Amino acid sequence: YIAICAKVDNALSIYSIAGVDATNAPSRLKTFSGAGSPNYCGGIEDICADSAEDYLYFVARDDDAVVQVDISDPTNAFISGVISGVTNYLDEAIRIKTATIQGDEYIIVASYTSGRFVVLKESDFTRSNVVGLRNYYGDVQVRHAFGSWAKLV
């Protein structure tokens, strides 16, 4: 399978590439499109998959959002979670990567406007689970789950 994002079209499509050759083109399985709710595809900048390839994540710069797509069955992919808004430190989110750290999967998101980055724990994809470090206008700050941001000394 392959996922392709189209920033200008505000869309993400998932294709099957099984059996692709000179006579058989990829077949489109699912397309998510449109800025704002419910798909949050406004200005998709980057996509990645988790290590188990059960989830696909994308950042939508114009929607200030990170979207989780369940691809455990790519023929029936669906949006399983959205975190959006400047209050979630996702102002103009432009880059996303996943990483496994001590057995736990994390999603790392970078924002363009403020230069902040946010670390989300995949096992509980909610705003209350934002953890990590960020650059806040020159100050490096730390936040633990359910805590508030504090300047790192």
Side-chain angles (χ1 to χ4, degrees), residues 59 89 91-96 108-112 116-118:
V59 288
Y89 314 107
D91 46 330
E92 294 191 355
I94 59 168
R95 295 292 176 260
I96 189 165
I108 302 141
V109 182
S111 297
Y112 176 76
R116 300 174 185 173
F117 68 94
V118 173

Side-chain angles (χ1 to χ4, degrees), residues 1-3 13-17 27-32 52-56 69-78:
Y1 301 97
I2 188 168
S13 294
I14 299 171
Y15 291 85
S16 172
I17 55 174
S27 59
R28 185 174 48 177
L29 302 174
K30 183 76 174 186
T31 295
F32 301 98
E53 297 182 356
D54 288 332
Y55 294 101
L56 177 73
V69 180
D70 186 319
I71 57 170
S72 55
D73 176 4
T75 60
N76 293 306
F78 63 94

Side-chain angles (χ1 to χ4, degrees), residues 33-55:
S33 64
S37 183
N39 293 331
Y40 295 91
C41 293
I44 297 174
E45 289 274 348
D46 200 8
I47 58 177
C48 66
D50 70 341
S51 61
E53 297 182 356
D54 288 332
Y55 294 101

Side-chain angles (χ1 to χ4, degrees), residues 78-150:
F78 63 94
I79 292 177
S80 52
V82 176
I83 300 175
S84 67
V86 175
T87 58
N88 291 312
Y89 314 107
L90 297 172
D91 46 330
E92 294 191 355
I94 59 168
R95 295 292 176 260
I96 189 165
K97 298 292 177 213
T98 58
T100 302
I101 303 168
Q102 295 182 349
D104 290 323
E105 190 91 16
Y106 292 89
I107 302 106
I108 302 141
V109 182
S111 297
Y112 176 76
T113 305
S114 64
R116 300 174 185 173
F117 68 94
V118 173
V119 181
L120 307 164
K121 193 169 184 182
E122 182 186 55
S123 63
D124 185 20
F125 189 73
T126 64
R127 190 253 179 257
S128 63
N129 204 20
V130 173
V131 296
L133 295 170
R134 71 177 181 180
N135 177 354
Y136 186 69
Y137 301 103
D139 289 335
V140 176
Q141 297 183 335
V142 64
R143 180 178 191 269
H144 301 284
F146 308 108
S148 56
W149 289 101

